[in-house]
Amino acid sequence: MATRYRFGDSYIPHFITFSVINWIDALSRPHYKDIVVDSLKYCIANKGLTIHSWVIMNNHVHMIISAEGDSQLADIVRDFKKFTAAKLLEAVDQSSESRRSWMMWLFGAAGRANTNNTHYQFWQQDNHPIALNNHPIAQQKIDYIHDNPVRAGIVFAPEHYIYSSAVDYYDIQKGLLPVELLI
């Protein structure tokens, strides 16, 4: 799918969002979120990914990311989404998930409807990257990311949500992922 949004220079932090197809709450179980976290750790350690801010919600992920050296953000995100899609589809399919049949049917229907896939599709294709070239916009995006679980009614304070970098920004603790603070 063509989009007017493209990654700019990979060393510049970019705000991105990617969603599960049809906004299915496929990441509602901690086990599924942990697959995403582990994959991000791999990308940090092996692909040159730098995470500045992040949150994993039940049906989407927001991040502010950049890349080190010659690493390209578009390539990292493409590989990350491809790998996590396969792992998450496998996890859902092999689970005792109460919504397993319904979710796999939706993933299959989306995959068959998309010429880029052969069987299943987990993530929507677009990432909507926005280069963050100034401090006020970066701060607005960080606040937006960290306030997501509060707006969703999951927690009362951003730093109480475990699948987020809010604790890195608002507390002296470290979160689940290494974060390079922007502000």
Side-chain angles (χ1 to χ4, degrees), residues 18 20-21 26-27 31-32 34-36 39 77-95 104 107 117-124:
F18 44 94
V20 178
I21 56 109
L27 302 172
H31 172 68
Y32 303 144
D34 291 340
I35 291 170
V36 175
S39 297
V77 171
R78 179 201 61 223
D79 294 349
F80 167 81
K81 287 175 70 175
K82 182 177 180 180
F83 178 80
T84 56
K87 291 301 249 184
L88 288 162
L89 286 165
E90 179 184 347
V92 170
D93 193 38
Q94 294 180 358
S95 73
M104 293 305 292
F107 295 140
N117 294 320
T118 54
H119 301 291
Y120 296 98
Q121 181 173 341
F122 187 88
W123 299 113
Q124 292 182 26

Side-chain angles (χ1 to χ4, degrees), residues 47-60:
K47 293 190 168 269
L49 179 66
T50 300
I51 298 179
H52 303 284
S53 185
W54 64 281
V55 67
I56 303 170
M57 299 299 290
N58 288 346
N59 55 16
H60 66 284

Side-chain angles (χ1 to χ4, degrees), residues 10-24:
S10 292
Y11 64 88
I12 295 173
H14 284 70
F15 171 80
I16 65 168
T17 298
F18 44 94
S19 308
V20 178
I21 56 109
N22 299 324
W23 289 87
I24 300 168

Side-chain angles (χ1 to χ4, degrees), residues 1 9 28 49 64 132 138 140 153 164:
M1 170 168 71
D9 293 328
S28 59
L49 179 66
I64 297 175
L132 303 179
Q140 184 271 334
S164 165

Side-chain angles (χ1 to χ4, degrees), residues 13-181:
H14 284 70
F15 171 80
I16 65 168
T17 298
F18 44 94
S19 308
V20 178
I21 56 109
N22 299 324
W23 289 87
I24 300 168
D25 282 347
L27 302 172
S28 59
R29 312 274 190 249
H31 172 68
Y32 303 144
K33 287 181 177 90
D34 291 340
I35 291 170
V36 175
V37 169
D38 290 343
S39 297
L40 288 170
K41 286 178 182 176
Y42 178 86
C43 290
I44 291 167
N46 299 291
K47 293 190 168 269
L49 179 66
T50 300
I51 298 179
H52 303 284
S53 185
W54 64 281
V55 67
I56 303 170
M57 299 299 290
N58 288 346
N59 55 16
H60 66 284
V61 176
H62 294 298
M63 294 190 293
I64 297 175
I65 58 174
S66 60
E68 301 171 358
D70 293 334
S71 299
Q72 296 298 308
L73 279 176
D75 296 341
I76 295 169
V77 171
R78 179 201 61 223
D79 294 349
F80 167 81
K81 287 175 70 175
K82 182 177 180 180
F83 178 80
T84 56
K87 291 301 249 184
L88 288 162
L89 286 165
E90 179 184 347
V92 170
D93 193 38
Q94 294 180 358
S95 73
S96 58
E97 169 72 53
S98 60
R99 305 166 301 148
R100 182 181 66 80
S101 295
W102 171 75
M103 288 194 312
M104 293 305 292
W105 182 84
L106 287 172
F107 295 140
R112 289 186 298 277
N114 185 340
T115 58
N116 293 330
N117 294 320
T118 54
H119 301 291
Y120 296 98
Q121 181 173 341
F122 187 88
W123 299 113
Q124 292 182 26
Q125 287 183 290
D126 197 13
N127 303 312
H128 198 246
I130 300 170
L132 303 179
N133 296 318
N134 66 54
H135 178 76
I137 293 174
Q139 185 63 58
Q140 184 271 334
K141 295 300 183 188
I142 291 168
D143 292 343
Y144 177 79
I145 287 170
H146 293 155
D147 288 341
N148 242 242
V150 177
R151 285 191 308 276
I154 299 170
V155 293
F156 289 115
E159 62 272 19
H160 296 159
Y161 189 64
I162 189 172
Y163 293 101
S164 165
S165 59
V167 71
D168 295 287
Y169 279 83
Y170 304 129
D171 207 336
I172 57 171
Q173 301 182 63
K174 295 293 181 196
L176 296 176
L177 292 170
V179 172
E180 185 176 299
L181 303 180

